[in-house]
Amino acid sequence: MKIFTKFLFLVALCFQFFEMSAIVSPPPPNDDCTSAIPLTPNISCSYTTYTNAGATNSLTPGPTCANYLGGDVWFSVVVPPGGNLTIDTEAGEIQDSGMAAYRYCGFGDFLGCDDDSNPNGLMSRLVLSGLTPGETIYIRVWGWGGETGTFGICATAFNCIGPSLTGPTYDYSGCPNSYSVSYDVTSLG
């Protein structure tokens, strides 16, 4: 009986040791909106890898898309002169993301939410237009249903001036959904 008791004691000690030595990820530096990592909008998307491992739940109310269960991280971006932005995510360890945009930290002006608009799968993509050039927009990213790990993100600027009239065509090039409309004038009067 003594040997069995010592064995149980040693087993219990081992479990406590392993439990105490479990690795817990510290929160990432952009765990809160006030410490958002700045993104610089470019002409084309160049993803940078980040993680939400160890991220906590934000105090800002949860978005209503992409099965938000917490574990979000924050980014900021200054709106370029054209007033238009695309924020795009890329799969890493996270294979399905959610993303929301706000004008302010905290209970700021909600601009939009996305689940799966990225053409590359289940990742998020937000196309924001008509913004005030020079204002800062805050982007919140999380894994669908609480998924954690790495992901890529980029910000691109698009200049959607259209429609501009060039010959017999209204040109909307540079807009997120580019298209042209042609017309034929047969009579004036």
Side-chain angles (χ1 to χ4, degrees):
M1 183 73 166
K2 259 186 173 178
I3 294 174
F4 184 72
T5 305
K6 284 183 180 179
F7 175 75
L8 285 177
F9 177 75
L10 288 173
V11 169
L13 234 112
C14 285
F15 279 117
Q16 278 187 324
F17 172 76
F18 287 119
E19 188 176 291
M20 289 178 4
S21 64
I23 297 173
V24 177
S25 298
N30 57 337
D31 190 37
D32 291 313
C33 184
T34 56
S35 57
I37 292 175
L39 300 173
T40 303
N42 293 306
I43 299 300
S44 61
C45 180
S46 179
Y47 295 104
T48 302
T49 302
Y50 294 96
T51 185
N52 74 335
T56 60
N57 298 350
S58 294
L59 296 176
T60 304
T64 56
C65 76
N67 195 23
Y68 175 80
L69 295 178
D72 51 4
V73 289
W74 291 84
F75 300 89
S76 64
V77 60
V78 175
V79 177
N84 306 305
L85 283 169
T86 299
I87 311 297
D88 204 358
T89 57
E90 173 184 58
E93 293 167 345
I94 291 179
Q95 296 292 305
D96 191 351
S97 67
M99 182 167 43
Y102 303 83
R103 274 207 163 81
Y104 313 103
C105 278
F107 297 95
D109 190 5
F110 179 74
L111 296 171
C113 194
D114 184 68
D115 187 359
D116 298 332
S117 290
N118 186 306
N120 302 321
L122 301 175
M123 298 301 284
S124 303
R125 180 182 208 192
L126 280 172
V127 177
L128 305 169
S129 59
L131 302 171
T132 304
E135 79 175 310
T136 300
I137 300 300
Y138 295 91
I139 308 297
R140 178 186 210 175
V141 179
W142 64 94
W144 192 93
E147 192 177 2
T148 62
T150 58
F151 62 92
I153 189 168
C154 72
T156 55
F158 61 91
N159 193 15
C160 182
I161 307 293
S164 65
L165 183 57
T166 336
T169 303
Y170 284 104
D171 183 11
Y172 287 87
S173 63
C175 299
N177 297 314
S178 296
Y179 59 91
S180 293
V181 178
S182 296
Y183 62 92
D184 184 16
V185 177
T186 55
S187 172
L188 292 173

